[in-house]
């Protein structure tokens, strides 16, 4: 029988790759989208435009329990991937209230509706390496304690515990994926990888002259989003629900990212990168690096794309976008982000 999956956050980077992956496996794929997105599909569905004929989209809001309850009551879902969230850490400092509301209550609403209507549906929660924050061990693994350093990290720790609690208290098949940073040409322009690769492309083409950036010494563990969504699916195919770290096991600084990205087009980052304190965070997570040994052993998960290959793919993709007429097709908001206007 065809399996039915529901994805919240289907219009985002991870949602779009996961939808492709599940469709490829023969799933019937449903997505929760905001009503406003359905009203402006060309603007909001850029990442899933090539899949629209194969997807079933439902309007719902993470702020409304009845809207989530209604969608879940309509179909007998086998799997639910809860990816939707306010996911930009810097924004969570600017508006911690809405980040906490959306990320914690939204997760609770989905879990509560599943418990009530579809207790057999398997549930995936998008946890984050930001939960480790000021980590007390390196590398971080499933047993490392959480020391979050932002409202975003705090909201994800709460979501993690809600997910675990529904597993332990009500016997639901609930798993937490603790994913380290994962990027791609579909990454939003506000995140440091895409901000950098899009600036590199514009500088190379003479469309911009500098990249204003924050903390060059922060270190992250970056992988390709396509590799990471395959792990989400594997987690829901196991006999028992559990939690898994997904990471590359390598860490690189933002400075190294800049050096590599500018190097793809034979430029020296030191000629173009300007440190701007406005992009510093009130509390930084200095170093993240994950240990995905458990996922490799239990799930058989493998990292396929290296950091250098990832950054090269992103730079080349941005170069192509900026050098072709498709530049005009980028949304105004995204284009604004490209100039580095947003922290
Ligand atoms: O790209 P970032 O904004 O990602 P961050 O904060 O690590 O979070 C991302 O990964 C998490 C783990 O998967 C997710 F949970 C989360 O939702 C998000 O996807 O920043 C990376 C690092 C930070 O240390 C930041 O301070 O880059 C540093 N940075 C330096 N200059 C900058 C900038 N980050 C941004 N966004 N913009 C800058 O100009």
């Amino acid at each position: 029988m065809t399996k039915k999956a529901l994805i919240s956050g289907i219009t985002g980077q991870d949602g779009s790759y996961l939808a492709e992956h599940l469709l490829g496996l023969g799933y019937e794929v449903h997505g929760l989208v905001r009503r406003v997105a359905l009203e402006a599909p060309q603007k909001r569905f850029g990442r899933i435009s090539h899949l629209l004929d194969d997807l079933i989209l439902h309007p719902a809001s993470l702020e409304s329990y009845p809207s989530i309850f209604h969608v879940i009551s309509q179909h007998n879902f086998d799997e639910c991937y809860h990816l939707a969230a306010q996911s930009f850490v810097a924004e969570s400092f600017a508006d911690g209230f809405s980040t906490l509301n959306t990320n914690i209550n939204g997760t609770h609403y989905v879990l509560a509706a599943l418990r009530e209507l579809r207790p057999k549906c398997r549930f995936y929660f998008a946890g984050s390496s930001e939960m480790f924050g000021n980590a007390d061990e390196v590398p971080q693994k499933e047993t490392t304690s959480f020391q979050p350093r932002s409202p975003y990290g705090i909201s994800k720790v709460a979501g993690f515990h809600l997910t675990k609690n529904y597993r332990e208290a009500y016997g639901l098949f609930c798993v937490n994926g603790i994913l380290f940073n994962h990027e791609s040409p579909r990454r939003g322009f506000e995140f440091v990888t895409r901000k950098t690769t899009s600036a590199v492309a514009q500088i190379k083409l003479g469309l911009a002259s500098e990249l204003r950036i924050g903390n060059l010494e922060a270190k992250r563990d970056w992988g390709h989003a396509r590799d990471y969504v395959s792990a989400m699916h594997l987690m829901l195919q196991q006999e028992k629900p559990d939690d898994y770290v997904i990471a590359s096991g390598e860490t690189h600084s933002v400075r190294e990212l800049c050096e590599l990205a500018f190097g793809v087009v034979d430029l020296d980052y030191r000629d173009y990168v300007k440190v701007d304190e406005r992009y510093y965070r009130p509390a930084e997570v200095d170093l993240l690096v994950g240990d995905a040994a458990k996922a490799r052993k239990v799930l058989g998960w493998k990292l396929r794309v290296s950091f250098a290959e990832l950054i090269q793919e992103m730079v080349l993709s941005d170069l192509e976008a900026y050098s072709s007429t498709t530049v005009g097709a980028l949304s105004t908001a995204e284009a604004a982000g490209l100039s580095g206007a947003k922290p």
Side-chain angles (χ1 to χ4, degrees):
M1 233 180 45
T2 306
K3 276 192 177 178
K4 290 185 188 186
L6 176 65
I7 305 175
S8 74
I10 196 167
T11 59
Q13 169 187 260
D14 294 4
S16 67
Y17 282 120
L18 180 63
E20 271 170 17
H21 186 62
L22 296 179
L23 286 170
L25 294 172
Y27 277 69
E28 180 177 301
V29 179
H30 296 242
L32 292 182
V33 294
R34 276 175 281 194
R35 182 166 293 285
V36 62
L38 285 168
E39 285 162 7
Q42 282 174 333
K43 194 171 160 206
R44 311 269 181 166
F45 293 162
R47 296 181 181 95
I48 54 168
S49 55
H50 58 300
L51 305 175
L52 284 177
D53 288 346
D54 299 317
L55 299 174
I56 302 159
L57 300 179
H58 306 275
S61 161
L62 280 190
E63 278 138 41
S64 154
Y65 181 66
S67 73
I68 290 169
F69 188 92
H70 177 71
V71 175
I72 292 177
S73 73
Q74 300 293 300
H75 298 270
N76 198 6
F77 295 112
D78 299 287
E79 295 172 12
C80 173
Y81 297 85
H82 180 46
L83 312 183
Q86 191 305 96
S87 64
F88 187 33
V89 175
E91 169 61 23
S92 80
F93 285 109
D95 185 356
F97 292 93
S98 66
T99 300
L100 293 170
N101 277 338
T102 307
N103 294 5
I104 301 177
N105 291 340
T107 303
H108 200 183
Y109 294 159
V110 176
L111 280 165
L114 288 175
R115 180 186 168 214
E116 183 76 18
L117 300 163
R118 309 281 171 215
K120 292 211 160 36
C121 177
R122 296 183 168 206
F123 176 81
Y124 171 88
F125 174 65
S128 161
S129 53
E130 285 295 308
M131 300 190 305
F132 294 123
N134 213 1
D136 52 15
E137 64 176 336
V138 180
Q140 295 86 49
K141 45 185 184 282
E142 290 79 4
T143 49
T144 305
S145 67
F146 298 141
Q147 323 270 356
R149 298 264 287 166
S150 63
Y152 171 80
I154 293 165
S155 76
K156 287 289 175 177
V157 171
F160 174 95
H161 285 301
L162 276 169
T163 301
K164 202 158 171 247
N165 190 241
Y166 269 69
R167 177 164 84 211
E168 292 171 358
Y170 309 121
L172 267 65
F173 192 110
C174 295
V175 309
N176 286 294
I178 308 174
L179 272 53
F180 282 63
N181 298 50
H182 44 287
E183 321 291 311
S184 75
R186 298 184 194 170
R187 190 54 147 149
F189 290 97
E190 66 273 40
F191 298 95
V192 76
T193 50
R194 190 73 195 282
K195 181 174 170 178
T196 303
T197 61
S198 60
V200 166
Q202 290 180 89
I203 291 169
K204 184 68 179 175
L205 296 169
L207 302 171
S209 55
E210 64 179 27
L211 167 62
R212 290 197 162 265
I213 207 158
N215 184 0
L216 283 172
E217 308 315 327
K219 289 185 161 177
R220 289 291 182 279
D221 176 332
W222 280 291
H224 197 300
R226 195 189 287 112
D227 283 350
Y228 287 39
V229 301
S230 67
M232 299 175 185
H233 174 256
L234 288 171
M235 287 178 213
L236 292 196
Q237 312 315 308
Q238 303 310 304
E239 210 173 302
K240 288 191 182 145
D242 205 347
D243 307 323
Y244 298 90
V245 160
I246 302 297
S248 78
E250 277 181 25
T251 191
H252 299 274
S253 65
V254 174
R255 185 185 297 282
E256 285 172 75
L257 159 71
C258 291
E259 190 175 359
L260 193 62
F262 279 88
V264 172
V265 294
D266 296 323
L267 295 177
D268 186 332
Y269 79 99
R270 290 170 295 190
D271 297 333
Y272 304 97
V273 171
K274 304 271 180 299
V275 172
D276 185 333
E277 297 209 344
R278 285 179 304 160
Y279 296 105
Y280 274 67
R281 294 179 180 172
E284 177 64 281
V285 172
D286 296 322
L287 165 68
L288 287 175
V289 57
D291 175 359
K294 179 175 166 186
R296 283 196 299 273
K297 184 161 176 248
V298 180
L299 306 177
W301 177 75
K302 278 196 193 93
L303 181 88
R304 291 175 199 282
V305 181
S306 71
F307 178 57
E309 288 166 340
L310 165 70
I311 299 306
Q312 180 172 29
E313 182 187 334
M314 291 177 70
V315 171
L316 296 181
S317 166
D318 278 325
L319 263 180
E320 195 184 329
Y322 280 100
S323 42
S324 73
T325 49
T326 57
V327 171
L330 293 166
S331 75
T332 317
E334 285 178 336
L338 282 171
S339 64
K342 274 177 94 174

